Amino acid sequence: MIYILKSESLTVSVSSKGAELISAKDASGKEYVWQADKRYWGRHAPILFPVCGRLLDSKYTLGEKEYNMGAHGFVRDAEFAVTALSESEITLEFSANEETLSVYPFDFTLTVNYFLKESTLVMSIDVKNNGSRVMPYMLGWHPGFTISGKIDDYTLTFPSGEKAKRHHMTSNLFLEPMAVDFPLKNGVYLPTESEIYEKDTVVLTNVGCEAILSRGEDCKLRMKQSENLTYFAIWKAPHTEAKYICLEPWSDIPSDGVTPECFDTRKMSRVLGGKTENYYFSVEFID
C-alpha cells in the first residue's frame, strides 16, 4: 500500500513494501526520486538489511550452520505494518518471522520513521534485537535521485571529507578490505559515469556525515546521516540515458569476495540482546 505525506514544500510517497521511499515532489510537482524504470534499475530507495551488497556465494556461516542470503538482504521486499500515521509522518515496522528465521536466525524488529519538515525529509531506523544473544548485521539506505543530464555535470561535496578514503572494488561488488587515501580538495568529489561503470560502485569512508549534490551554482540536495553510517556508496546502472544517481549511506561494506563469510567473526555491526541501535538520515531538497 502507498501512503502520502505532505508539508508546505514536499509531497512524499512511502510504500509498505520494504518501507521504501518511492516519490518526493516539491510544490511545483518536480520529482526528486528515481521512478524505478525497469529497463535500468527497478527500485526507488530500498533499505538494505541484514546485509549490504553481496555475500560470497550468497551464503554465510553462523556457529556450525550455513545459511543462504541474496544481495542486500531481504527487508527491501518485506511487507511492513504501519503503526502510526499523520499528515506529515509515518512509522512502519517489520519483525522476524518463520521465513526470515530460516535465513537469518535472529529475533529482530526494524522500525522505520519518515517525517517531513518543510523541504526536508527525515528518516530514522531502529534495529532492535529482541533476543538474548548478540545480533550481527549490516544496514544501509540505497536511494536513487533524479538528475538532469549526466553524472559528470554534477559535483558531490563532503564538507568534512578532506581525509576521505576509498575501498577499491575487487569484482562484482566485493571490496578490498583496506581503504586507501582518497584526498578531496575542499571536500569536493567530481563523479563521472565512466568511473562508476568501470568500478560498479564507488565506496568512500571518512567523509563525515554530510553530502551535497550540486550542478554548477545550483544545489540540488543535501544529505545528512548519523555517525554510525560510516560508508558512502555511489552507484548507477551502466546506461547513460538513465538519469539518476544513487547516494547510499551504509553501516558496513561487503567483504573481499575470497574469504568465506562467517558472521561469528566478520567485521560488521552488532547489537546486544534486548538493545536497539538507531540510524538517522535526512535529505533537504533544494532546487
Side-chain angles (χ1 to χ4, degrees):
M1 187 169 178
I2 307 302
Y3 297 87
I4 309 298
L5 307 180
K6 291 186 177 182
S7 69
E8 290 185 3
S9 304
L10 288 175
T11 299
V12 162
S13 300
V14 176
S15 174
S16 58
K17 181 180 179 181
E20 184 176 6
L21 171 69
I22 62 173
S23 176
K25 295 180 180 179
D26 66 14
S28 71
K30 181 176 181 178
E31 179 64 76
Y32 290 94
V33 175
W34 169 248
Q35 289 303 289
D37 187 332
K38 292 182 180 180
R39 293 177 297 170
Y40 311 119
W41 181 53
R43 296 182 186 267
H44 304 271
I47 295 169
L48 315 182
F49 180 88
V51 298
C52 299
R54 296 179 176 86
L55 299 174
L56 178 63
D57 298 326
S58 298
K59 63 185 180 182
Y60 70 95
T61 58
L62 183 71
E64 299 181 353
K65 190 171 180 180
E66 184 176 276
Y67 299 87
N68 295 303
M69 189 180 299
H72 294 319
F74 49 77
V75 160
R76 60 183 179 167
D77 294 317
E79 186 66 25
F80 280 65
V82 174
T83 58
L85 179 64
S86 68
E87 182 179 27
S88 61
E89 185 172 4
I90 187 171
T91 303
L92 307 98
E93 191 172 279
F94 176 75
S95 295
N97 55 41
E98 184 176 346
E99 183 178 357
T100 67
L101 289 170
S102 69
V103 296
Y104 181 64
F106 293 95
D107 182 6
F108 69 90
T109 296
L110 213 65
T111 303
V112 181
N113 177 269
Y114 291 94
F115 171 67
L116 292 183
K117 185 178 181 180
E118 299 176 351
S119 61
T120 299
L121 171 64
V122 179
M123 174 185 178
S124 68
I125 300 179
D126 285 340
V127 180
K128 182 179 181 182
N129 181 356
N130 299 317
S132 57
R133 60 174 174 163
V134 176
M135 185 174 81
Y137 68 94
M138 310 175 218
L139 180 86
W141 193 34
H142 192 325
F145 298 109
T146 60
I147 59 174
S148 303
K150 300 179 67 175
I151 289 175
D152 305 57
D153 300 328
Y154 286 79
T155 297
L156 194 58
T157 303
F158 301 95
S160 301
E162 288 82 359
K163 296 182 180 180
K165 291 179 178 290
R166 179 173 177 176
H167 288 270
H168 286 295
M169 303 293 298
T170 55
S171 62
N172 202 26
L173 200 52
F174 295 110
L175 298 174
E176 294 285 352
M178 295 298 295
V180 299
D181 290 339
F182 192 66
L184 301 175
K185 186 176 181 180
N186 297 321
V188 174
Y189 173 51
L190 301 174
T192 65
E193 297 205 10
S194 59
E195 178 185 28
I196 293 173
Y197 297 162
E198 178 185 354
K199 302 299 182 183
D200 187 85
T201 305
V202 174
V203 178
L204 305 177
T205 189
N206 281 16
V207 294
C209 297
E210 182 177 359
I212 302 168
L213 182 67
S214 305
R215 184 179 185 183
E217 297 297 320
D218 298 325
C219 183
K220 179 178 177 63
L221 57 86
R222 179 181 288 107
M223 295 181 65
K224 295 182 180 181
Q225 66 269 356
S226 51
E227 292 183 357
N228 50 2
L229 294 160
T230 54
Y231 301 93
F232 197 92
I234 306 163
W235 178 82
K236 178 190 172 185
H239 299 278
T240 55
E241 63 269 35
K243 299 187 185 304
Y244 73 96
I245 184 172
C246 289
L247 305 176
E248 312 172 33
W250 291 2
S251 68
D252 303 274
I253 55 175
S255 65
D256 57 11
V258 176
T259 305
E261 304 275 5
C262 176
F263 279 18
D264 294 299
T265 57
R266 192 192 198 283
K267 182 181 180 298
M268 60 199 303
S269 298
R270 298 175 192 276
V271 59
L272 298 175
K275 300 297 184 180
T276 299
E277 182 75 8
N278 174 261
Y279 297 84
Y280 164 92
F281 317 84
S282 71
V283 186
E284 181 184 5
F285 300 100
I286 299 169
D287 70 344

